[in-house]
Amino acid sequence: MQAPRRNLLLAALALALGIAAPSYAKDPKELVIGTSAGPYADQIKLGIKPILEKQGYKIKLVEFNDYIQPNFALAEGSLDANVFQHIVYLNEFAAKNKLPLADLVKIPTAPIAIYSKKHKALSEVKEGATVAMPNDPTNQARALVLLDQLGWIKLRDKFDPVKASERDIAVNVKKIKLISLEAAQLPRSLQDTDYSFVNGNYALAAGMKLKEALLTEKISANYINLVAIRSADKDKQFAKDLAAAYRSREFLAVTNKYFPDYSKTEDQLALEAAGASKPGK
């Protein structure tokens, strides 16, 4: 893409999102953070924003309803950081689109899980059941691995759990009908499917409860969500302060109060372990 055309498209994107175009005179204490609607936005509102505001920052939150726009908006400067993705997705998206993005810090993460409005248990599955799953490659791989663990499908020998796709299905044991949908549409799909995989953030945004899941993924380090920034900003003060906020005891307290069913980060687990080791604990 030629530079003038690309700049016009990026400007149009910023205008459509209601985000001011980047400015060289921008106040370094004014941060625009993009996220998906739901719990990761709530983490910022309830925990991160108050911490940073005490340090003199002004925080603007921009919520997106897909997994595509936030990275482009970050790369072109309309956002200072975004919060919605895990490292596998970030690395693949950045490499494919040649975007200079980097991970900053991990965040508490709601797991992907299987839900149903038609069945009370996974044991009720019948041949030909419809199962919806995310259509983005990395989250779809997570769903396929869980289906393999359930015995509903059998993936080929030596498959890559991070890159598994429908091409890796060796045997469709239960003859299930797989339906690939945008992650944000998966909660709605429960009206029409037997079972649906739903990412935790979209489940909560749709008013679902994580405890309602019939099976919940045990999140690996690959799928803990993170804060992403531009690679060039990694050593800037705002990045250091943003990372410190997510690693703080104040944010751990917010996590325990409002997000108790989430997978905590290694930083948070270390804080809890240190607290438990103190005298009187």
Side-chain angles (χ1 to χ4, degrees):
M1 183 185 297
Q2 294 179 348
R5 175 177 170 77
R6 178 177 177 81
N7 290 340
L8 285 173
L9 289 175
L10 293 175
L13 173 63
L15 182 62
L17 296 174
I19 308 172
S23 169
Y24 292 111
K26 180 187 172 186
D27 186 339
K29 286 282 190 174
E30 293 180 358
L31 301 182
V32 182
I33 302 174
T35 186
S36 53
Y40 302 123
D42 291 339
Q43 286 182 5
I44 295 170
K45 294 172 185 175
L46 296 170
I48 302 305
K49 185 177 178 182
I51 293 171
L52 292 177
E53 285 180 339
K54 290 178 182 177
Q55 300 173 41
Y57 285 96
K58 295 180 180 179
I59 309 298
K60 178 179 180 181
L61 195 61
V62 180
E63 296 183 10
F64 296 82
N65 59 8
D66 65 48
Y67 289 162
I68 306 299
Q69 296 182 75
N71 279 334
F72 284 120
L74 175 60
E76 61 89 16
S78 294
L79 303 176
D80 297 296
N82 69 38
V83 186
F84 75 96
Q85 63 195 318
H86 46 66
I87 191 65
V88 176
Y89 185 85
L90 172 63
N91 286 346
E92 290 187 357
F93 193 96
K96 178 181 178 181
N97 295 285
K98 297 181 173 59
L99 302 179
L101 304 180
D103 60 303
L104 177 67
V105 64
K106 299 290 194 299
I107 69 171
T109 303
I112 194 170
I114 303 176
Y115 298 83
S116 178
K117 288 190 175 180
K118 297 181 179 180
H119 306 285
K120 294 182 179 180
L122 296 173
S123 59
E124 296 179 12
V125 65
K126 297 180 180 180
E127 287 193 357
T130 53
V131 179
M133 60 182 180
N135 65 0
D136 62 280
T138 55
N139 286 312
Q140 187 171 112
R142 299 164 74 182
L144 290 170
V145 169
L146 281 176
L147 289 173
D148 179 79
Q149 293 172 357
L150 281 172
W152 294 9
I153 65 172
K154 180 175 175 55
L155 296 173
R156 64 177 177 82
D157 292 339
K158 298 181 180 179
F159 72 91
D160 184 342
V162 174
K163 298 181 179 180
S165 71
E166 291 188 62
R167 294 189 297 272
D168 291 308
I169 299 176
V171 183
N172 189 338
V173 180
K174 293 293 185 179
K175 297 181 174 59
I176 58 177
K177 297 176 182 177
L178 293 170
I179 304 169
S180 298
L181 298 172
E182 290 282 346
Q185 303 303 316
L186 288 166
R188 298 179 187 175
S189 75
L190 287 164
Q191 303 293 338
D192 304 309
T193 63
D194 289 292
Y195 301 93
S196 292
F197 286 89
V198 184
N199 293 73
N201 59 312
Y202 285 121
L204 291 165
M208 299 162 61
K209 296 180 180 179
L210 298 181
K211 292 181 179 179
E212 295 173 349
L214 301 180
L215 177 67
T216 299
E217 169 197 46
K218 184 177 180 181
I219 300 182
S220 74
N222 287 327
Y223 300 124
I224 293 291
N225 281 2
L226 53 83
V227 177
I229 59 171
R230 287 179 296 277
S231 302
D233 291 343
K234 203 156 189 178
D235 292 326
K236 290 186 177 179
Q237 190 60 47
F238 85 82
K240 295 177 181 178
D241 292 339
L242 182 56
Y246 273 99
R247 293 186 175 118
S248 68
R249 286 195 175 276
E250 293 90 337
F251 184 62
L252 173 60
V254 169
T255 302
N256 286 333
K257 182 176 181 178
Y258 296 103
F259 309 98
D261 298 320
Y262 286 49
S263 292
K264 293 176 182 174
T265 66
E266 291 184 1
D267 293 315
Q268 291 185 315
L269 294 175
L271 283 176
E272 289 189 327
S277 66
K278 290 180 179 179
K281 293 289 185 178

